[in-house]
Amino acid sequence: MLILRRTDVADALAGRELEIIDLVADAYRLHDEGATALPHSTFLRFPEELHARDRIIGLPAYRGGPAPVAGMKWIASFPGNVSAGLERASASITLNSLENGRPSAFLEGSVISAKRTAASAALAARVLTEQAPPTSVALVGCGVINLEILRFLSAALPSLREAALYDMDPARAEDFARTCAAEVPAVKAYPVTGLEDALAAHPLVSFATTAGAPHTDLSACAPGTTVLHISLRDLTVDTVLGSLNIVDDADHVCRERTSLHLAEQRTGNRDFVAAPIGALLRGTATLDRDPGRPVVYSPFGLGVLDIALAEYVREQAERSGRGIHVDDFLDS
């Protein structure tokens, strides 16, 4: 068993944004081809009111193709951690041998989870804005995920120069601006105090919040805005139905009271979903933009991305000698 700590994972992925985006794109293509196995994620919630916002999610996955890999991510989201000075999410990933099913690697998973999420967002932004690359973005929610999204957007979109930062906590947005300046200096990041002003001023928007229910529309956005709806529960049903919607997998995203799930419950169908990102990448679907409608990308966050990136980290670690080998992990 190879055990990889957070520092091992972070070192293996540092500065590799474009490689990670390519890896995510390959995983989406394989998924669209039917070369993956992705059971629905399992949501563990708790009966006590104290833990009403907390959850732990299990995401098993298999990626086929020329380098098959299987495993599972187990990720906890405890929003109350933020006020206690801890990160909201923590995760672990187990990889299993496809020769005998035995666990072969155990990795700290929160870095992988954040980077695969950001790579998915940046990939979609590149695909969906290909005809008019944006020079600015509005980031709604000033946390770990939007920091990674800004990092990956900067790599994927050389045109990007500015980022407006909005958070319900203005002090958090101020702190976030300083972090962005230090970690993504190529993009000028600055806090704003009004959500509608942020939405109106930028052709690209990224929602990465802890919202549990829809709370906003896109009426303030300019026509044709591209929206990365990463947190999945920010947009009202009417907004979803009035948008051109791209997903990673409709079966996965139309669950657990996401905005798209609520739209499906209202309409009784999924006709509002235009295409999955994998089909756009493979050319089996095309994006026919309506200049008057926003394009909204709502990725559930497929476990196959975590497993693909974990295998990439494992390979990097084996080559560089990172991690801890526990040879007697399964010994009796």
Side-chain angles (χ1 to χ4, degrees):
M1 168 73 83
L2 175 64
I3 298 177
L4 295 173
R5 301 156 294 194
R6 181 170 184 154
T7 53
D8 300 319
V9 175
D11 288 347
L13 296 177
R16 297 181 181 269
E17 286 79 19
L18 292 178
E19 290 180 58
I20 297 169
I21 290 171
D22 288 344
L23 182 149
V24 165
D26 287 342
Y28 279 145
R29 291 187 188 97
L30 286 169
H31 182 59
D32 195 63
E33 292 169 7
T36 64
L38 279 171
H40 281 308
S41 304
T42 296
F43 283 70
L44 176 63
R45 292 189 171 92
F46 310 98
E48 296 84 5
E49 182 63 28
L50 176 65
H51 294 290
R53 297 174 64 204
D54 301 334
R55 62 190 180 186
I56 309 177
I57 310 172
L59 293 88
Y62 165 78
R63 180 196 67 186
V69 60
M72 180 170 176
K73 179 176 76 170
W74 185 239
I75 182 166
S77 175
F78 278 53
N81 284 357
V82 175
S83 60
L86 300 174
E87 291 188 355
R88 174 187 60 83
S90 59
S92 57
I93 297 174
T94 301
L95 298 179
N96 293 78
S97 166
L98 286 170
E99 293 181 5
N100 52 34
R102 291 187 162 208
S104 57
F106 185 76
L107 302 85
E108 194 283 331
S110 66
V111 174
I112 288 172
S113 188
K115 288 188 181 294
R116 67 82 152 143
T117 300
S120 171
L123 172 66
R126 187 170 68 189
V127 171
L128 300 177
T129 67
E130 187 175 13
Q131 301 304 315
T135 60
S136 65
V137 61
L139 303 180
V140 182
C142 295
V144 171
I145 298 302
N146 258 340
L147 177 61
E148 287 298 333
I149 286 174
L150 183 61
R151 193 191 319 277
F152 277 76
L153 287 175
S154 180
L157 301 173
S159 61
L160 199 67
R161 292 291 177 266
E162 293 186 5
L165 315 176
Y166 174 79
D167 195 276
M168 293 179 65
D169 180 352
R172 184 172 168 84
E174 293 278 357
D175 290 341
F176 191 66
R178 288 187 282 272
T179 301
C180 292
E183 299 202 19
V184 195
V187 180
K188 179 183 177 182
Y190 52 91
V192 296
T193 56
L195 175 57
E196 289 190 356
D197 291 342
L199 296 180
H202 304 279
L204 179 64
V205 177
S206 172
F207 283 92
T209 74
T210 58
H215 60 91
T216 191
D217 58 31
L218 299 176
S219 58
C221 291
T225 297
T226 298
V227 178
L228 308 173
H229 185 209
I230 305 306
S231 35
L232 294 179
R233 295 170 178 84
D234 299 275
L235 302 181
T236 65
V237 169
D238 286 338
T239 300
V240 170
L241 297 178
S243 302
L244 183 64
N245 294 285
I246 307 300
V247 300
D248 52 2
D249 185 297
D251 284 339
H252 285 259
V253 80
C254 290
R255 297 180 69 228
E256 296 294 331
R257 298 192 64 79
T258 64
S259 295
L260 279 75
H261 186 199
L262 298 178
E264 179 188 31
Q265 289 180 325
R266 179 188 292 185
T267 62
N269 59 62
R270 298 175 183 171
D271 294 347
F272 53 85
V273 175
I277 187 71
L280 295 180
L281 292 168
R282 294 179 62 219
T284 56
T286 58
L287 179 66
D288 296 320
R289 295 194 71 138
D290 178 343
R293 300 170 68 196
V295 175
V296 175
Y297 177 57
S298 299
F300 183 77
L302 302 180
V304 70
L305 305 184
D306 299 286
I307 299 310
L309 190 50
E311 174 64 6
Y312 175 87
V313 170
R314 186 198 64 77
E315 292 171 349
Q316 295 291 327
E318 293 282 11
R319 282 196 286 267
S320 63
R322 291 188 184 95
I324 301 168
H325 283 275
V326 181
D327 295 330
D328 58 352
F329 182 78
L330 293 176
D331 288 353
S332 58

